[in-house]
Amino acid sequence: MIRVLVVDDEALIRTGFMHILETADDIEVVAAVPGGQAVRTVQELRPDVVLLDIRMPDVDGLTILADLRRMPQAPVVAMLTTFDTDEYVATALRSGAAGFLLKDTDPEQLPHLVRTLAEGGTVLSSKVTRLVVGGYLDNSVREPAAVRLTARLTERERAVLVLMAEGLANNEIGERLHLSTGTIKGHVTNVLGKLRVGSRVQAALIAERAGLLTPAPAQDEGAR
């Protein structure tokens, strides 16, 4: 079972997400709480995935995210919000969020998105994806720096990075590369460490800026 905690200041949102997710046989919502109870509830119940509202009146979601990321065996965290501005995308993903979902995400997709998070994948709403692809997340990394960072990776780690950038979960990467999920987890840890980033999205952006995601141009027949 995938154990999920929903954190939102609105009781209606909490209840709605809980009912939607519990229609899935492999997902258990262990609690649905307002922001002020989030950290304590994670410590007590140890969920696998936390869906966390980014804007709450009692405590800021980004502050909670930072607290959760400092925990040993921290849960996977995806941010929930009605806002899709680049400011929130950048801050949340730089802080280690594994996803960024708008609250109007299709309810039928939620169980699948939670499974993707639990398997180590990255989930972004379509609007957020456009912002990330547009380069809003990390302007500090330029192409030469990205090339130097990815040069630290082994050939296998680069292959894993490219598939991470496609949004694949660890088990899906393993299927592509004919490796076990445990082996892929080790490669992912090494990739994040060598690139000096805290999330798969940040790693994907570095891969893009290093040119790893751009197919090589076809060689002209006449130039051979």
Side-chain angles (χ1 to χ4, degrees), residues 16-31:
F17 271 75
M18 181 172 63
H19 288 331
I20 292 168
L21 291 174
E22 288 191 334
T23 61
D25 294 336
D26 58 339
I27 296 175
E28 175 190 6
V29 179
V30 296

Side-chain angles (χ1 to χ4, degrees), residues 149-155 157-158 161 190-191 194-195:
L149 284 171
T150 55
R152 301 173 180 174
L153 304 178
T154 66
E155 182 177 352
E157 288 167 350
R158 281 193 291 274
L161 173 59
N190 291 339
V191 167
K194 290 181 179 181
L195 297 184

Side-chain angles (χ1 to χ4, degrees), residues 67-145:
D67 290 339
L68 298 183
R69 292 290 295 169
R70 285 193 290 267
M71 289 183 180
Q73 298 181 328
V76 176
V77 181
M79 309 307 293
L80 296 171
T81 186
T82 55
F83 302 93
D84 60 350
T85 63
D86 55 306
E87 174 190 358
Y88 293 107
V89 175
T91 304
L93 297 179
R94 283 195 191 109
S95 299
F100 197 103
L101 300 175
L102 300 181
K103 291 182 182 179
D104 61 0
T105 298
D106 184 350
E108 293 184 358
Q109 294 182 4
L110 283 177
H112 170 69
L113 295 175
V114 166
R115 294 185 192 104
T116 299
L117 289 165
E119 290 293 334
T122 299
V123 297
L124 298 171
S125 73
S126 58
K127 293 179 181 178
V128 172
T129 299
R130 287 196 294 272
L131 289 169
V132 172
V133 172
Y136 288 103
L137 180 58
D138 190 357
N139 292 327
S140 66
V141 179
R142 294 289 184 260
E143 288 189 12

